[in-house]
Amino acid sequence: MQKPRLILGIDTSCDETSMAIFDTASEKVLSNVISSQIALHQEYGGVVPELASREHVKNLPAVFEACLKEAGVTSDDIEAVAVTQTPGLVGCLLVGMSFGKALASRLNVPLYAVNHLEAHLFSPYIEKDIAFPFLGLVVSGGHTSFYLAKSYHDIELLGQTIDDAAGEAFDKGAKLLGLGYPGGPVVDKKSQEGDVAAYAFSRPRVKMGEQYLSFSGMKTALMQHVNAEMDRQQVSKACEFPANVVNDFCASLQNAIVETLCDKLKYFLKNSEAKRFGLSGGVAMNSLLRVKAAEVCESFKIPCDLAAPQYCTDNAAMIAYLASHQQRQEDVYSLSPIATQRINAKQLAKDHANRPAKN
Ligand code: KG4
Ligand code: ZN
């Protein structure tokens, strides 16, 4: 089977409807359209799964049109469809998968099912040379995991959080401070003006082993600091704090999260055969983390590959990119509406040939 030239990627795993077209010949992203639902979920303080699924249903056709237009191609130019299979919000994943299956069937092209976390892991290498083995940190709203990637197919999970993800620590922290959702970008911004030493956060130690991380204690510590500060300031809500207090809270919390991640980065660089480091996921947008991770890598004399900002938060370019490097003939996904297993490409061709004729 010849490698498909243009792959259409689809990601609907959470609150972003995204489609992208990746050119496997030039290794370039021709388009990467992301329709964010943040405004819809903001009033609830977090993602509402049922609303997110419905919004994907609404957005997909327009995102598809925009994606083709931006790439300057037509649907007939698409030679494969790649879609996020898991992990994510189940209703949201189903919407994307159904759209992907219908489209692949309509265009009579193969469908590839891609793992969302693996796609994040490899996202620093979209449009950039890759070298194995590399240590990867996927740090997002749902995950904080270190991997050793020995090839596109050989990925070892080295360690991960035992409770909250780092992005959750940003989001929950921001909520406690009355800063809205999502918390990461606003905490990042306000931290620029704050004092990192204003509030102390002890560094979490996980009894299960050095390879694990934990962030749930930070929320509790922040809550205690916020309550004490409310007494000092004689206010009843955190949103009544003066701006400098909020900035100090943000800077101290961000510093604690980044130091925790960087300590673990040092541990895995010492204890693995990694020759470089790749940082990915929504929290990889964090300005302090980008600087500090680069400093750690410099001290270990290894390259630090930061995912480009447009490929940090959820996007379909990473899905199409990974499909282009990971897909094998036997990975072609069944187009049957109910099948969830990977099937043999030859079997698929046979099924296709034997399908009932259209009326
Ligand atoms: O990868 P992503 O879009 O979705 C998941 O798969 O979770 O990541 C979203 C997460 C949110 O928790 C958000 O607060 C965080 O990424 N985030 C940031 C920044 N930008 C987004 N966290 C820290 N600093 C940022 N600048
Ligand atoms: Zn993600």
Side-chain angles (χ1 to χ4, degrees):
M1 191 170 69
Q2 217 192 337
K3 194 168 180 159
R5 169 87 195 254
L6 296 189
I7 301 183
L8 175 92
I10 303 173
D11 186 82
T12 59
S13 57
C14 190
D15 60 345
E16 261 111 18
T17 316
S18 182
M19 282 200 205
I21 293 179
F22 186 75
D23 183 341
T24 62
S26 65
E27 290 268 324
K28 290 247 173 320
V29 177
L30 302 188
S31 62
N32 184 33
V33 176
I34 301 170
S35 169
S36 172
Q37 302 180 7
I38 285 178
L40 174 74
H41 300 286
Q42 241 156 7
E43 66 172 294
Y44 304 98
V47 179
V48 184
E50 179 60 24
L51 286 184
S53 312
R54 286 165 190 260
E55 200 64 9
H56 287 310
V57 174
K58 241 194 274 171
N59 290 344
L60 275 166
V63 170
F64 180 50
E65 288 306 318
C67 180
L68 293 176
K69 197 169 168 207
E70 195 179 301
V73 302
T74 70
S75 58
D76 290 338
D77 298 319
I78 296 169
E79 294 184 2
V81 175
V83 56
T84 298
Q85 183 189 22
T86 193
L89 300 171
V90 70
C92 296
L93 291 167
L94 261 170
V95 173
M97 184 54 87
S98 305
F99 192 96
K101 280 187 174 183
L103 187 65
S105 173
R106 161 77 181 77
L107 299 174
N108 200 16
V109 298
L111 180 74
Y112 300 110
V114 174
N115 180 291
H116 181 82
L117 285 178
E118 292 181 11
H120 271 303
L121 174 66
F122 288 98
S123 64
Y125 303 100
I126 302 173
E127 299 178 306
K128 189 174 179 179
D129 288 344
I130 194 164
F132 296 102
F134 73 86
L135 175 71
L137 166 59
V138 179
V139 62
S140 68
H143 297 88
T144 303
S145 309
F146 282 90
Y147 298 90
L148 185 68
K150 297 171 201 163
S151 76
Y152 285 107
H153 302 277
D154 189 357
I155 301 159
E156 187 187 342
L157 175 65
L158 299 178
Q160 60 184 330
T161 179
I162 56 162
D163 41 53
D164 290 354
E168 239 175 311
F170 276 106
D171 294 338
K172 288 180 177 172
K175 201 170 179 180
L176 272 173
L177 293 166
L179 297 175
Y181 173 85
V186 56
V187 171
D188 191 350
K189 192 155 174 251
K190 290 192 181 290
S191 294
Q192 317 283 336
E193 309 287 323
D195 173 7
V196 295
Y199 302 96
F201 287 90
S202 56
R203 301 295 174 260
R205 288 199 73 79
V206 183
K207 282 197 198 120
M208 280 164 69
E210 279 285 315
Q211 69 272 42
Y212 295 103
L213 298 101
S214 164
F215 288 98
S216 65
M218 278 186 200
K219 193 188 71 178
T220 315
L222 179 67
M223 207 154 24
Q224 286 164 350
H225 283 311
V226 166
N227 286 337
E229 195 60 53
M230 284 200 295
D231 287 346
R232 271 196 294 272
Q233 302 279 339
Q234 307 239 303
V235 295
S236 58
K237 286 189 200 125
C239 58
E240 292 168 22
F241 285 153
N244 66 311
V245 169
V246 175
N247 294 344
D248 286 351
F249 267 121
C250 289
S252 304
L253 176 69
Q254 173 176 278
N255 193 55
I257 296 171
V258 169
E259 270 190 6
T260 302
L261 292 170
C262 286
D263 284 350
K264 215 44 81 180
L265 169 59
K266 285 180 207 160
Y267 170 80
F268 284 119
L269 285 177
K270 260 187 228 149
N271 294 287
S272 76
E273 59 200 87
K275 300 280 182 291
R276 55 200 308 131
F277 171 64
L279 180 67
S280 61
V283 181
M285 289 280 273
N286 186 265
S287 50
L288 183 69
L289 179 59
R290 290 176 90 82
V291 170
K292 294 289 176 191
E295 281 174 14
V296 171
C297 290
E298 208 181 318
S299 71
F300 278 81
K301 298 191 171 29
I302 62 155
C304 182
D305 304 314
L306 304 171
Q310 69 271 29
Y311 303 138
C312 284
T313 45
D314 289 346
N315 68 88
M318 65 183 189
I319 305 300
Y321 166 81
L322 186 56
S324 116
H325 288 278
Q326 211 177 44
Q327 40 116 345
R328 294 179 287 207
Q329 227 167 319
E330 66 271 24
D331 287 340
V332 172
Y333 203 70
S334 169
L335 292 177
S336 144
I338 50 162
T340 51
Q341 81 281 22
R342 283 165 191 241
I343 65 156
N344 186 292
K346 278 195 195 133
Q347 184 61 45
L348 179 71
K350 233 199 259 165
D351 290 352
H352 224 72
N354 294 334
R355 73 194 189 282
K358 281 180 202 154
N359 291 326

